[in-house]
């Protein structure tokens, strides 16, 4: 089983050069990991690539930091602790024509769901189709999405996305790196990304060209690593002027030895990103197999603001296409993630989670993941929102079907609105949400925190579909004589809470009846 892989195996995701990796543990890990998620296609036309010299174009002055990191928390300019909850955009942007098909109306829907962050996919192949030749129209389209998100109070994490290295590797099922980055020691694949690639993790694992390409990349054998860092520098220079861009995930779901290859890559990526965007937070993942709940061995980076940003997909649920209701492996995965967050003294941001909407019991499964995020007071972004989702094309990448909304904006079975404390004037202590059921049991949220009046008001995202008018709000302060003042803001779907004295405060909100 995946959990039986040794610690050394988690640290080294590719066979050593010239040696076949026949370990059964690895193969079984990938059999269980059939749903390790990637991303997709994309509409709009693509402008001709613009030749550009390697020096970065003049960049705007860096915008003030929207968020900073303090220990295991994100903190806003007012000093409040911020919990980030959001969605990946978008599932169809991993294949030509790449340009994000994300409209202002789509971002209105993101805001209406109470989300305050997007993880925005950025595809290297789309930006640098030939070495040193950059498609600036693609970069401008990405910048436009981040700007529109910021206008709605939504932060952006720029996700430099790849799955299985490239569309020209992993037997045609991958995405991310340009064709010219594929190792000359391998045999390039013909891009596919059709439903025939549904077993893409196995295609990725079994493709020698994928392994050779990652090996050459980390060794900089053909200058690809150097060009990758130049690309990151250009991207950070451009996004640094967008006030809502809080940071970067330098490489999605990477292969590579965590200590010998990933850690040095992250060190160099941090240096080039922060040279252009000094306040940027680095959202760092371990080896791709940590997606199944295995513990990472990635060492804590030396300095600078960072978050531990693993992904989580329950492999048994993916394989069985059914939520079995057994939470032991999920509990273990979150113990691993929170332990690393504590060891690093950094926030936990689960960069991807979710499930195929066709899985039996998918709503209950996703609720279980959110329950664990709540218990850990952790941030995260669900996979994914594909605005151009359709019943026939799904997410438009490898036959996946993870998008959380129908084209008309209604939620699909793999997403149900939830409350969460999005900004705490003080220190959060405990948050929980219990969903009501068809028997009439009400929805109930409870939140405890240590309030600091000088920081302003605490904001709790309160979806009106769960807590309509008539819901009860009970507020208590542990300090005698303290006055706690909760106020609903229906237009923004928020409960705003102030207290006149510092000390422990508790809020309990209950809907009139269940669903």
């Amino acid at each position: 089983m995946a959990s039986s892989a040794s610690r050394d195996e988690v640290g080294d995701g590719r066979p050593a050069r010239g040696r076949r990796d026949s370990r059964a543990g690895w193969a079984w890990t990938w059999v269980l990991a059939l749903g390790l998620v990637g991303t997709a296609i994309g509409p709009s036309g693509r402008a001709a690539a613009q030749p550009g010299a390697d020096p970065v174009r003049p960049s705007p002055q860096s915008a003030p930091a929207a968020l900073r990191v303090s220990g295991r928390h994100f903190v806003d300019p007012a000093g409040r602790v911020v919990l980030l909850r959001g969605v990946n955009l978008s599932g169809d942007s991993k294949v030509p024509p790449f340009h994000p098909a994300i409209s202002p109306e789509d971002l209105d829907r993101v805001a209406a769901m109470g989300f305050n962050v997007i993880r925005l996919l950025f595809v290297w192949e789309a930006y640098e189709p030939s070495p040193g030749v950059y498609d600036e129209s693609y970069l401008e389209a990405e910048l436009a999405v981040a700007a529109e998100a910021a206008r709605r109070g939504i932060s952006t994490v720029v996700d430099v996305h790849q799955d299985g290295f490239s569309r020209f590797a992993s037997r045609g099922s991958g995405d991310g790196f340009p064709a010219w980055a594929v190792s000359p020691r391998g045999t390039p694949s013909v891009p596919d990304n059709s439903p025939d690639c549904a077993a893409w993790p196995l295609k990725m694992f079994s493709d020698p060209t994928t392994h050779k390409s990652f090996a050459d990349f980390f060794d900089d054998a053909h200058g690809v690593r150097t060009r990758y860092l130049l690309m990151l520098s250009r991207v950070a220079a451009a996004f640094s002027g967008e006030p809502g861009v809080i940071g970067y995930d330098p490489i999605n779901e990477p292969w590579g030895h965590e200590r010998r290859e990933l850690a040095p890559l992250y060190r160099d990526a941090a240096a080039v990103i922060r040279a252009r965007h000094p306040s940027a937070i680095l959202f760092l993942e371990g080896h791709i197999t940590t997606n199944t709940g295995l513990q990472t061995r990635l060492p804590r980076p030396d300095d600078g603001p960072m978050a531990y940003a693993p992904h989580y997909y329950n492999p048994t649920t993916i394989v069985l296409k059914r939520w079995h209701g057994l939470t032991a492996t999920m509990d273990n995965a979150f113990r691993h993630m929170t332990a690393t967050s504590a060891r690093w003294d950094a926030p936990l941001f689960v960069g991807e989670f979710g499930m195929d909407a066709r899985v039996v019991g998918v709503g209950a499964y996703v609720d279980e993941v959110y329950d664990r995020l709540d218990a850990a007071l952790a941030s995260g972004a669900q996979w994914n929102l594909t605005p151009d989702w359709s019943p026939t094309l799904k997410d438009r990448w490898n036959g996946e079907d993870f998008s959380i909304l129908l084209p008309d904006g209604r939620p699909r079975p793999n997403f149900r609105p939830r409350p969460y404390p999005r900004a705490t004037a003080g220190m959060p202590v405990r948050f929980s949400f219990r969903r009501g059921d068809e028997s009439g049991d009400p929805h109930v949220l409870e939140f405890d925190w240590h309030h600091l009046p000088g920081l302003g008001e605490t904001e709790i995202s309160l979806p009106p579909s769960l807590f309509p008018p008539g819901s009860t709000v009970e507020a208590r302060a542990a300090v005698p004589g303290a006055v706690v003042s909760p106020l609903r803001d229906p237009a923004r779907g928020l409960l705003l809470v102030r207290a006149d004295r510092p000390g422990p405060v508790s809020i309990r909100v209950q809907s009139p009846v269940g669903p």
Side-chain angles (χ1 to χ4, degrees):
M1 296 178 62
S3 60
S4 67
S6 72
R7 290 174 61 86
D8 287 340
E9 287 172 332
V10 176
D12 193 353
R14 62 172 174 83
R17 287 195 179 192
R19 185 186 75 221
R20 290 184 63 195
D21 189 345
S22 60
R23 290 174 292 190
W26 272 114
W28 186 236
T29 294
W30 285 111
V31 169
L32 289 180
L34 281 175
L36 293 177
V37 188
T39 334
I41 302 180
S44 340
R46 173 173 181 172
Q50 301 297 319
D54 283 336
V56 178
R57 65 178 184 174
S59 59
Q61 183 176 359
S62 290
L67 292 180
R68 60 183 175 86
V69 168
S70 178
R72 296 175 66 180
H73 302 287
F74 299 108
V75 179
D76 70 11
R80 299 180 300 174
V81 171
V82 171
L83 206 59
L84 294 171
R85 295 288 174 85
V87 68
N88 284 260
L89 287 175
S90 66
D92 62 351
S93 58
K94 293 192 283 190
V95 294
F98 299 113
H99 281 230
I102 302 163
S103 69
E105 291 74 23
D106 296 323
L107 292 168
D108 288 340
R109 289 174 175 174
V110 172
M113 288 186 283
F115 289 149
N116 62 353
V117 69
I118 57 172
R119 185 170 177 261
L120 178 64
L121 276 68
F122 188 95
V123 178
W124 187 11
E125 178 193 354
Y127 183 45
E128 192 178 1
S130 301
V133 178
Y134 298 96
D135 182 354
E136 298 297 346
S137 72
Y138 173 73
L139 179 59
E140 293 300 329
E142 294 275 298
L143 291 167
V145 173
E148 288 292 335
R151 292 187 185 101
R152 292 156 176 78
I154 300 169
S155 297
T156 295
V157 176
V158 179
D159 160 37
V160 182
H161 206 89
Q162 69 81 38
D163 301 285
F165 198 80
S166 173
R167 293 192 303 127
F168 303 89
S170 293
R171 307 186 190 279
S173 68
D175 63 83
F177 281 57
W180 54 264
V182 174
S183 172
R185 299 185 297 120
T187 302
S189 302
V190 176
D192 186 351
N193 298 121
S194 73
D196 292 340
C197 292
W200 67 267
L202 290 178
K203 290 177 178 285
M204 170 178 60
F205 172 77
S206 62
D207 180 28
T209 298
T210 302
H211 296 294
K212 292 173 182 177
S213 296
F214 271 111
D216 286 359
F217 170 67
F218 286 116
D219 291 345
D220 205 22
H222 307 286
V224 175
R225 188 181 189 275
T226 295
R227 292 226 61 88
Y228 161 84
L229 293 172
L230 287 168
M231 176 272 296
L232 282 185
S233 180
R234 296 178 69 96
V235 170
F239 277 103
S240 68
E242 295 296 337
V245 175
I246 59 174
Y248 305 82
D249 184 334
I251 182 168
N252 179 74
E253 297 184 356
W255 286 80
H257 192 284
E258 291 185 324
R259 295 182 181 275
R260 295 196 302 267
E261 294 171 323
L262 280 180
L265 181 71
Y266 287 156
R267 177 199 63 215
D268 295 346
V272 299
I273 288 171
R274 291 192 177 122
R276 299 293 180 175
H277 193 167
S279 65
I281 302 168
L282 271 292
F283 291 78
L284 303 181
E285 307 179 40
H287 185 276
I288 184 174
T289 48
T290 60
N291 287 15
T292 64
L294 299 182
Q295 178 62 288
T296 185
R297 297 182 68 196
L298 186 69
R300 187 191 192 281
D302 291 336
D303 54 16
M306 73 200 69
Y308 179 48
H311 299 174
Y312 177 68
Y313 296 100
N314 186 281
T316 307
T317 303
I318 290 169
V319 171
L320 297 179
K321 299 185 180 353
R322 175 181 295 273
W323 170 233
H324 45 71
L326 303 175
T327 64
T329 57
M330 187 184 296
D331 293 336
N332 198 46
F334 272 84
R335 276 194 293 271
H336 288 158
M337 290 187 276
T338 55
T340 299
S341 170
R343 176 166 54 87
W344 285 17
D345 191 29
L348 174 60
F349 179 91
V350 182
E352 289 185 23
F353 62 91
M355 190 54 61
D356 188 307
R358 297 164 292 188
V359 165
V360 176
V362 66
Y365 167 84
V366 173
D367 269 348
E368 290 283 357
V369 178
Y370 274 107
D371 286 348
R372 279 148 189 78
L373 289 174
D374 290 346
L377 293 169
S379 297
Q382 187 168 345
W383 185 268
N384 75 83
L385 173 59
T386 301
D388 276 358
W389 179 92
S390 74
T392 53
L393 297 176
K394 312 298 184 188
D395 293 351
R396 302 171 186 251
W397 185 83
N398 292 357
E400 287 193 346
D401 193 15
F402 282 67
S403 187
I404 63 174
L405 295 182
L406 292 168
D408 63 7
R410 287 178 296 154
R412 300 185 69 215
N414 56 349
F415 174 74
R416 297 192 279 193
R418 291 178 67 98
Y420 69 99
R422 57 187 292 161
T424 303
M427 184 60 64
V429 175
R430 184 186 69 90
F431 178 79
S432 67
F433 168 64
R434 186 177 74 246
R435 191 178 295 278
D437 58 33
E438 299 298 337
S439 70
D441 285 346
H443 308 299
V444 177
L445 78 80
E446 295 179 332
F447 183 39
D448 304 329
W449 72 101
H450 192 284
H451 190 76
L452 295 176
L455 301 183
E457 58 194 11
T458 290
E459 298 180 6
I460 302 172
S461 178
L462 206 64
S465 61
L466 296 177
F467 297 99
S471 298
T472 60
V473 179
E474 300 175 6
R476 302 187 306 276
V479 176
V483 177
V484 182
S485 304
L487 175 67
R488 290 201 67 165
D489 183 346
R492 294 192 294 159
L494 296 176
L495 177 66
L496 309 175
V497 185
R498 288 184 175 271
D500 63 349
R501 299 185 190 183
V505 170
S506 297
I507 286 286
R508 187 178 190 275
V509 185
Q510 178 174 310
S511 66
V513 294

